[in-house]
Amino acid sequence: PHPRCFQESGSWFLTTTPLVRSVSVDLNNDASLVIDIPDALCERDKVKFTVHTKTTLSSFQKPEFSVPRQHEEFIWLHDTIVETEEYAGLIIPPAPPKPDFEGPREKMHKLGEGESSMTKEEYAKMKQELEAEYLAVFKKTVQVHEVFLQRLSSHPIFRKDRNFQIFLEYDQDLSVRRKNAKEMFGGFFKNMVKSADEVLISGVKEVDEFFEQEKTFLLDYSSKIKDASAKAEKMTRSHKNVADDYNHISGALNSTAADNNTAFKKHLEKYAEVFEKLRKLEDRVASDQELKLTELLRYYTRDIQAAKDLLYRRARALADNENSNKALDKARLKGKDIAQAEENQKQCLQKFDKLSESGKKELTSFKARRVVAFRKNLIEMTELEIKHAKVRRLKCCVYHYMFTRQCSGSHGKPGNMREF
Amino acid sequence: SNDAENTAAHHRNTLQFNTYSHRKQLFSVCVTLSEATEEVSLDSPERQPILSDGPSPVITPVTPVMISSRADVFDRSPDQDEDEEENRDTFDIQISVSDPEKVGDGMNAYMVYKVLTKTSLSIFSRDEVCVKRRFSDFLGLHSKLASKYMHMGYIVPPAPEKSIVGMTKVKVGKEDLSSVEFVEKRRSALERYLLRTVKHPALLKDPDVLQFLESSELPRAVSTQALSGAGILRMVNKAADAVNKMTIKMNESDAWFEEKQQQFENLDVQLRKLHASVESLVCHRKELSVNTASFAKSAAMLGNSEDHTALSRALSQLAEVEEKIDQLHQDQACADFYLISELLGDYVRLITAVKGVFDQRMKTWAKCQDAQVMLQRKREAEAKLQHANKPDKLQQAKDEIREWEGKVQQGERDFEQISKNIRREVGRFEKDRVKDFRVVIIKYLESLVHTQQQMIKYWEAFLPEAKAIA
């Protein structure tokens, strides 16, 4: 199944037949609630995802339905879940990043401006490249939004969330109001406090062996995976640059051929063809590497952060628990408000125990999920690398054969076909 | 040649070059020459290209003779030209430049290269000759060839560029990667230069070339500043400027020249653009290599941090694969550079030489024009003296007229000859161009196939490791 991407009067429309989304695996195993994003529409700045649900659950009104959703509505859903106290002991699936069409949009702009100064072939070629770029960004953003929903639907507790159901089902605009200044700054402050609390996480005396290990592991792994993700991105970008250079070389060879009227002309045109093929293959390598490796690392960087957030919440609860113990002791000493202090202490302990219990489950399944996803992606990436290398080898052999056949007599050395 | 391979193996260890230095030299194409050369009689002009002073060929022995005066190869007969073209089949000559060695210390230091010539041609005194030459020797050779042949319309292959920065680093003794790369780049350029030079049928037989390749001692080339590639370029450009300043624009009766000149102008622009794109490719490929190595390290760290054993091991192995692939990228960058980028660089410089001969033709025409003007003046002067009753002066005037008539004739002959030479040279250039590019593309494709082959090997070895994650 191959995604199609086409343009209609300024908008870009992507349809994808179920591509295997592999950033997180086995998320659609439970047939009682199956979610996917079969297509998306990009109009100017806005992306509208079609969220498609198939369900046997009675809590929904229909067995199958679709709604259009924008990125902001996904963020709203994520934020309401984060703010739900009940879910403090769960790893909240990370919010999908905003769709970034800046690259292709810039290119489209250049295309529009330069249309008059280009030949028909150049224009068609640039348009094709532009479509490929849009498609690449589309694939990424659809994948990441889809996985977010599938993480929720495959989780025994999140799938029952009322807001989640509204998100899936409500066929009108959710009218998610944009965050006002206070909320935005509130969020900022919260983030600031959160990273300061990394100190808290490390500082608090850990009583539980499991959490002690997890803490050490997550703090270290988090910085390593962030670094790996950045390095993978740079690597992918370099591949794209090489592909671009092949493109320019091919164009320059064609220009040189156009000006030439000797036997050289045909050769130049053939060489231009070679570099064009090399470009296409390099592009494919770059985009596959991005989807399988770079996106994988990016996703798990976010997911690790979500796990750390869980640890943070538990550390907070532990701190609260200790404070409540101290308060109870103080109350007992003073002989005042003891009952209140006892109640407070009981609640804090309960909260802490609940967080610890569910946290342990979550972190264990998180590891399993991570391992499965890495395995799947590394296998797929490797298979694609092998495939692309074989195709490139074959194409180069074919051209090599073609060019050496042109050799007549003893001029030049025939290539070592036997070696290949 | 073995020497080349040993040198390159050494390079490989320091630079991690791979296929291109140690495989056959880039241009080890057999240069084939006329079989007829052996059979041509001793008194044919072909055998003594540079010795005749006057119009009639002089019989000379075969051994190369040092000449200092200007060559008069104008007197090649048209038949020989055709023979040349057809008979490029049997003899061969192989040249390698290798084993760069630093001589001396500090700012007076210089690099010496081993020049090995293997040939079955009889104009050489031995089958195999090995000499030591320094960079200024090459420049000296080119300067001599340019001064002898350029004004006749021969496309003399340009010498490699001087580089103060590059050489200073080497002199100062920096053993870092960039100095080693610089020396390798220069070695390769010198080799290509010599191969291009001997590929030219007239230059191959030039005594200066033969001396350069065979003689164990070579007189030091003086004043290398004037001899640098840039210096020659300046000479060529001066000629071009002179042409541009010509008040009488040449009446081009031959459309071929006009057309060709325009084509070479266009080609110059196109090739520079193409060269720039390839340089960008080399640069980005090197970046890709650096970024891949960097990712490999990062993946290794991630693997160490990973607490799931099987995944940890797989990530470490992924890091190893990426390290190997980094090496492949480096090799590919070498191929990008030494095959394609340097070819284009060479051709950009060659085009300058081609444009130079067209300008020389214009200069020749201008000289012819000037001679005609002079002759006219002399005739007018003589006519005046007819009625002046000064018999001495009249005789002198008549002598001068004869002198200038001779010069006009010579000028016309020169112009005709240079035009013919250029046509032949351009034809040869265009044929060689097709061959050169094809050879390079074929080798480039080989490099790509080799790289992909290795990649397949590495990834296929990794696949079971990825599948083993449980």
Side-chain angles (χ1 to χ4, degrees), chain A residues 264-298:
Chain A
F264 200 34
K265 185 194 186 77
K266 284 221 166 59
H267 288 82
L268 287 170
E269 286 170 348
K270 262 284 173 285
Y271 303 151
E273 205 184 285
V274 171
F275 278 96
E276 176 56 28
K277 290 253 159 45
L278 288 176
R279 173 189 82 84
K280 285 209 175 92
L281 290 167
E282 196 72 34
D283 257 338
R284 229 164 274 159
V285 167
S287 73
D288 281 343
Q289 189 186 77
E290 177 158 43
L291 272 181
K292 300 293 169 194
L293 183 66
T294 313
E295 280 295 293
L296 172 75
L297 292 171
R298 281 187 194 131

Side-chain angles (χ1 to χ4, degrees), chain A residues 245-246 259 367 370 393, chain B residues 270 284-285 306-307 453:
Chain A
D245 288 326
Y246 279 146
D259 278 342
K367 189 198 306 279
R370 184 177 81 244
R393 179 182 64 178
Chain B
Q270 304 289 13
H284 285 139
R285 184 93 65 185
E306 175 60 62
D307 62 352
Q453 190 81 334

Side-chain angles (χ1 to χ4, degrees), chain A residues 214 217 220-222 224-225 227-229 231-232 234-236 238-239 241-243 245-246 248-250 252-253 255-256 259-264 267-268 271 274-275 278 282 289 293 297 367 370-371 374-375 378-383 385-386 388-390 392-393 395-397 399-400 403-404 406-416 419-420, chain B residues 23-24 28-30 32 88-89 94 259-260 263 266-267 270-271 273-274 277-278 280-285 287-289 291-296 298-299 301-302 304-308 311 314-315 318 322 325 329 332 336 340 430 433-435 437-439 441-446 448-450 452-453 455-456 459-460 462-463 466-470:
Chain A
E214 280 300 306
F217 167 68
D220 183 45
Y221 197 77
S222 143
K224 300 283 158 51
I225 196 169
D227 185 59
S229 162
K231 300 281 162 64
K234 274 176 107 171
M235 200 170 60
T236 306
S238 283
H239 271 296
N241 285 338
V242 167
D245 288 326
Y246 279 146
H248 292 141
I249 292 171
S250 174
L253 284 168
S255 300
T256 313
D259 278 342
N260 194 285
N261 66 351
T262 69
F264 200 34
H267 288 82
L268 287 170
Y271 303 151
V274 171
F275 278 96
L278 288 176
E282 196 72 34
Q289 189 186 77
L293 183 66
L297 292 171
K367 189 198 306 279
R370 184 177 81 244
V371 172
F374 267 75
R375 179 178 186 277
L378 288 178
I379 292 174
E380 284 176 2
M381 177 187 81
T382 306
E383 288 172 343
E385 289 274 1
I386 293 171
H388 291 319
K390 284 187 171 162
R392 196 150 42 183
R393 179 182 64 178
K395 293 227 154 118
C396 288
C397 278
Y399 276 115
H400 184 277
F403 294 142
T404 51
Q406 282 171 14
C407 263
S408 53
S410 59
H411 295 306
K413 283 200 163 147
N416 288 320
E419 254 175 59
F420 308 136
Chain B
R23 271 219 256 170
K24 290 108 190 177
S28 61
V29 173
C30 301
T32 55
R88 291 159 83 90
D89 266 317
Q94 280 179 330
E259 203 185 294
K260 279 298 167 190
Q263 278 185 9
N266 294 345
L267 187 61
Q270 304 289 13
L271 282 185
K273 217 170 91 174
L274 188 54
S277 297
V278 175
S280 176
L281 173 68
V282 173
C283 181
H284 285 139
R285 184 93 65 185
E287 258 176 42
L288 175 60
S289 152
N291 290 338
T292 304
S294 167
F295 172 73
S298 189
M301 302 258 288
L302 186 64
N304 282 340
S305 178
E306 175 60 62
D307 62 352
H308 184 274
L311 180 55
L315 285 170
L318 176 66
E322 294 286 0
I325 288 182
H329 289 318
Q332 193 57 58
D336 294 340
I340 304 195
E430 288 177 345
R433 177 174 62 184
V434 169
K435 266 190 258 152
F437 273 72
R438 187 173 63 217
V439 164
I441 290 283
I442 286 173
K443 289 193 189 212
Y444 188 66
L445 288 168
E446 286 175 9
L448 287 171
V449 170
H450 177 81
Q452 298 316 302
Q453 190 81 334
M455 240 186 238
I456 292 169
W459 286 116
E460 280 182 340
F462 177 71
L463 189 57
K467 289 186 170 163
I469 302 170

Side-chain angles (χ1 to χ4, degrees), chain B residues 149-156 236 257 261 351-364 418 421-422 425-426:
Chain B
Y149 293 101
M150 219 163 68
H151 67 269
M152 297 192 303
Y154 282 48
I155 301 171
V156 175
V236 169
F257 282 91
Q261 233 173 322
I351 298 284
T352 308
V354 173
K355 293 205 302 192
V357 299
F358 277 93
D359 290 337
Q360 291 289 339
R361 177 173 172 268
M362 295 249 221
K363 247 177 107 182
T364 308
I418 194 178
N421 286 345
I422 290 180
E425 285 287 283
V426 167

Side-chain angles (χ1 to χ4, degrees), chain A residues 197-420:
Chain A
D197 274 313
E198 223 169 74
V199 176
L200 174 69
I201 300 178
S202 348
V204 158
K205 206 175 74 159
E206 190 48 71
V207 293
D208 189 330
E209 177 74 24
F210 174 83
F211 282 99
E212 181 61 38
Q213 279 181 358
E214 280 300 306
K215 187 175 72 181
T216 315
F217 167 68
L218 283 176
L219 286 179
D220 183 45
Y221 197 77
S222 143
S223 69
K224 300 283 158 51
I225 196 169
K226 196 163 159 199
D227 185 59
S229 162
K231 300 281 162 64
E233 199 170 318
K234 274 176 107 171
M235 200 170 60
T236 306
R237 188 170 315 277
S238 283
H239 271 296
K240 290 194 178 143
N241 285 338
V242 167
D244 259 342
D245 288 326
Y246 279 146
N247 193 19
H248 292 141
I249 292 171
S250 174
L253 284 168
N254 271 324
S255 300
T256 313
D259 278 342
N260 194 285
N261 66 351
T262 69
F264 200 34
K265 185 194 186 77
K266 284 221 166 59
H267 288 82
L268 287 170
E269 286 170 348
K270 262 284 173 285
Y271 303 151
E273 205 184 285
V274 171
F275 278 96
E276 176 56 28
K277 290 253 159 45
L278 288 176
R279 173 189 82 84
K280 285 209 175 92
L281 290 167
E282 196 72 34
D283 257 338
R284 229 164 274 159
V285 167
S287 73
D288 281 343
Q289 189 186 77
E290 177 158 43
L291 272 181
K292 300 293 169 194
L293 183 66
T294 313
E295 280 295 293
L296 172 75
L297 292 171
R298 281 187 194 131
Y299 184 81
Y300 277 95
T301 306
R302 291 193 291 270
D303 223 4
I304 293 280
Q305 185 59 46
K308 272 166 69 179
D309 289 348
L310 169 59
L311 278 191
Y312 155 73
R313 291 193 291 270
R314 182 180 166 276
R316 262 246 90 84
L318 180 58
D320 288 346
N321 189 30
E322 287 181 355
N323 290 340
S324 75
N325 283 339
K326 289 196 190 115
L328 181 56
D329 288 342
K330 215 158 127 184
R332 283 194 176 135
L333 233 71
K334 284 196 180 148
K336 232 170 71 166
D337 297 320
I338 297 179
Q340 191 183 13
E342 277 178 344
E343 182 58 34
N344 189 30
Q345 194 263 6
K346 194 169 105 185
Q347 279 188 0
C348 280
L349 185 61
Q350 261 181 8
K351 181 172 174 199
F352 175 70
D353 283 342
K354 184 169 161 222
L355 278 189
S356 295
E357 190 190 322
S358 108
K360 200 174 212 165
K361 265 197 282 209
E362 287 280 294
L363 288 170
T364 309
S365 69
F366 170 58
K367 189 198 306 279
R369 196 175 64 236
R370 184 177 81 244
V371 172
V372 169
F374 267 75
R375 179 178 186 277
K376 184 162 202 272
N377 277 281
L378 288 178
I379 292 174
E380 284 176 2
M381 177 187 81
T382 306
E383 288 172 343
L384 282 167
E385 289 274 1
I386 293 171
K387 178 177 128 186
H388 291 319
K390 284 187 171 162
V391 169
R392 196 150 42 183
R393 179 182 64 178
L394 177 64
K395 293 227 154 118
C396 288
C397 278
V398 168
Y399 276 115
H400 184 277
Y401 179 81
M402 234 166 63
F403 294 142
T404 51
R405 281 299 142 256
Q406 282 171 14
C407 263
S408 53
S410 59
H411 295 306
K413 283 200 163 147
N416 288 320
M417 277 304 286
R418 248 162 275 126
E419 254 175 59
F420 308 136

Side-chain angles (χ1 to χ4, degrees), chain B residues 18 48 57 61 65 70 91 102 121 138 185 223 256 294 301 326 332 357 383-384 387 424 426 432-433 452:
Chain B
N18 195 358
Q48 346 86 92
V65 173
R70 209 195 75 164
F91 290 115
K102 187 162 151 202
L121 294 169
F138 289 79
K185 185 175 165 181
S223 169
W256 186 92
S294 167
M301 302 258 288
D326 162 33
Q332 193 57 58
V357 299
K384 278 201 200 127
H387 311 294
R424 190 189 60 235
V426 167
D432 282 349
R433 177 174 62 184
Q452 298 316 302

Side-chain angles (χ1 to χ4, degrees), chain B residues 235-247:
Chain B
M235 229 171 76
V236 169
N237 287 335
K238 258 201 282 189
D241 288 337
V243 164
N244 287 335
K245 293 196 182 97
M246 261 166 41
T247 46

